Amino acid sequence: MYSTPLEAAAEETGRRVTTLELFFDLVFVFTLTQLTVLLAHDLSFATAGRVALILVVLFWMYGAYAYLTNQVPPDRPSRRLLLMLGMAAFLVCALAIPRVFDDTGVVFGLGFLLVVVVHTALYTRSHGWDSIWYGVTNALAALAVTGAGLVDGLAADGLWLLAIALQSVTPLVAEHGPGRRDGRGAAVLRVQLGALDPAHFVERHGLLLIIAFGESVISIGVGIGDLPLTPGLFCGAFLALALSVALWWTYFVRDEEGAEAAFRATPAPARWRLAMNAYYYAFLPMLLGIAFLAAGIKKTLGHLDRHPQPGPALALAGGVALFLVGDAAFRTALRLRPVRFRAVGAALALATAAAGVRMPVYGELLLLVAVLVVMLAVESRSCAADRAMGRPVGETVDEPV
């Protein structure tokens, strides 16, 4: 007998992320690396849009796996083997990404279909055969992506958009789909869908973000390549690292702790929607921002004393801005205070692109680091003032932020 998701969550409250889940995340982040490769090859708005399409589709299924293993840990050989098969399927997708809109689109689509099939198999083993309906829309989305590999241009882009539309229907199917043989209604299903372990869920996504930050660090080495190690080059590398560290500080110093508290304060029926808003919709721009930033670093770090082209300059500034927009959305979804500093920081970061094309790369990197440091310093002083006046800081609040 399998325990219900609610019972499993109760039994596993506060459990840690397993090494197999972390291994799974390492493979998934390789897809982010490949997206950076695709973007760095052609820093254009068209490529940036297609990179966004790919990440939206892929991250949906990553979230599905993270949600599943939160409720049903991979603690049995059959679950572990299926999860490893899912890792292999994500690897197929990652390997096909650099030419996915040329000649590897079908390979990507078939790999993604396997990702969906394995997830559905895991879900039905633990949640019963009624849950197979969750996989129908996901499978149709995978078939749409596969079909995109057979056409070119706007037709391919349209099929990718269709895949995203089909994925967005899945939550409605999960909650209001075909009737359950055991008579479970929508209210019961919402409780079961919200039976998450907050500590595990927050930690899992935090570890994913840390691994993704590793891509920005790797991009420093790729950008430098075989250039002589001069003091100027070290200065540029340290500025790029400082940029990643400041983004790390932005999320990890208070947001994780506040997120776990917000989940624990949320009733189970509303928790799964909160998970989608905070860890899917808000996390997407954060991950996309890291990919854009890494691409910008790769294209500029070897030319620190030159004025960057508009594409690389916008990738650097836009990457930081996207991350801050995502973090502001994350805080808004979880009702964490404050938010306004992140929103202002995003606007200022994006504005550095205009100045960046008129100065050496050093200048834009320094401006972006300064924006983040000042943002964090002003926010810290504001929070200290709130504490002194007895107002809640970084906590779940009842009123909109």
Side-chain angles (χ1 to χ4, degrees):
M1 285 286 293
Y2 291 109
S3 59
T4 67
L6 191 59
E7 292 168 341
E11 294 168 2
E12 299 290 341
T13 299
R15 69 180 178 87
R16 303 297 300 273
V17 174
T18 66
T19 54
L20 181 57
E21 290 171 291
L22 186 57
F23 200 175
F24 184 97
D25 293 353
L26 283 168
V27 175
F28 173 76
V29 169
F30 181 48
T31 65
L32 193 66
T33 301
Q34 294 289 77
L35 289 174
T36 302
V37 171
L38 178 61
L39 186 62
H41 180 71
D42 177 26
L43 274 173
S44 65
F45 285 109
T47 302
R50 286 180 163 181
V51 164
L53 287 177
I54 296 170
L55 182 59
V56 169
V57 169
L58 283 174
F59 191 56
W60 177 266
M61 285 311 302
Y62 168 82
Y65 275 88
Y67 184 91
L68 174 64
T69 54
N70 178 274
Q71 292 191 322
V72 186
D75 54 3
R76 302 176 186 178
S78 60
R79 294 176 184 172
R80 290 174 184 146
L81 290 172
L82 282 171
L83 197 59
M84 290 174 185
L85 184 57
M87 291 165 58
F90 267 118
L91 181 62
V92 171
C93 295
L95 293 172
I97 281 175
R99 302 196 312 277
V100 69
F101 286 96
D102 295 324
D103 58 355
T104 60
V106 173
V107 174
F108 179 97
L110 293 176
F112 191 67
L113 182 60
L114 182 58
V115 167
V116 171
V117 169
V118 172
H119 175 266
T120 304
L122 276 166
Y123 218 98
T124 54
R125 283 179 62 84
S126 57
H127 290 65
W129 281 101
D130 286 334
S131 61
I132 198 171
W133 292 106
Y134 303 176
V136 172
T137 49
N138 288 333
L140 291 174
L143 291 174
V145 170
T146 305
L150 300 173
V151 295
D152 299 315
L154 292 177
D157 295 337
L159 285 170
W160 278 87
L161 289 171
L162 175 61
I164 294 172
L166 287 166
Q167 288 177 333
S168 67
V169 173
T170 303
L172 296 177
V173 174
E175 188 175 342
H176 303 290
R180 273 68 184 176
R181 284 174 295 181
D182 58 5
R184 286 176 293 164
V188 175
L189 287 172
R190 280 194 292 270
V191 172
Q192 293 179 332
L193 288 168
L196 292 170
D197 180 340
H200 176 274
F201 198 74
V202 172
E203 183 189 17
R204 177 78 184 272
H205 287 83
L207 290 173
L208 173 70
L209 205 58
I210 281 289
I211 300 170
F213 275 129
E215 172 60 24
S216 65
V217 176
I218 292 171
S219 67
I220 296 174
V222 174
I224 290 174
D226 297 327
L227 294 174
L229 297 178
T230 62
L233 197 61
F234 277 117
C235 180
F238 290 152
L239 282 173
L241 180 61
L243 202 52
S244 296
V245 169
L247 291 177
W248 168 88
W249 194 295
T250 299
Y251 176 81
F252 283 99
V253 167
R254 279 200 306 269
D255 285 10
E256 270 205 315
E257 183 179 347
E260 184 176 338
F263 268 101
R264 293 192 184 282
T266 302
R271 192 176 287 178
W272 74 289
R273 283 287 182 183
L274 182 64
M276 285 184 56
N277 291 336
Y279 284 102
Y280 178 69
Y281 297 118
F283 245 58
L284 270 171
M286 294 169 74
L287 291 172
L288 194 61
I290 293 174
F292 283 6
L293 176 63
I297 291 173
K298 285 181 181 179
K299 299 293 286 187
T300 59
L301 210 56
H303 313 284
L304 288 168
D305 56 349
R306 303 179 192 173
H307 293 198
Q309 295 296 315
L314 188 57
L316 289 172
V320 174
L322 267 175
F323 186 93
L324 293 178
V325 166
D327 189 60
F330 178 84
R331 286 188 155 213
T332 300
L334 293 167
R335 295 183 179 274
L336 301 179
R337 301 173 60 183
V339 174
R340 62 187 183 278
F341 300 107
R342 310 296 167 98
V344 173
L348 292 175
L350 188 59
T352 64
V357 295
R358 295 177 173 84
M359 61 178 65
V361 175
Y362 288 110
E364 185 176 9
L365 289 173
L366 190 58
L367 279 176
L368 287 169
V369 172
V371 165
L372 291 175
V373 170
V374 170
M375 178 197 77
L376 292 169
V378 172
E379 181 178 278
S380 179
R381 292 192 63 176
S382 175
C383 291
D386 284 344
R387 289 192 196 94
M389 298 182 67
R391 291 195 293 261
V393 176
E395 299 176 0
T396 303
V397 294
D398 293 331
E399 70 277 9
V401 291

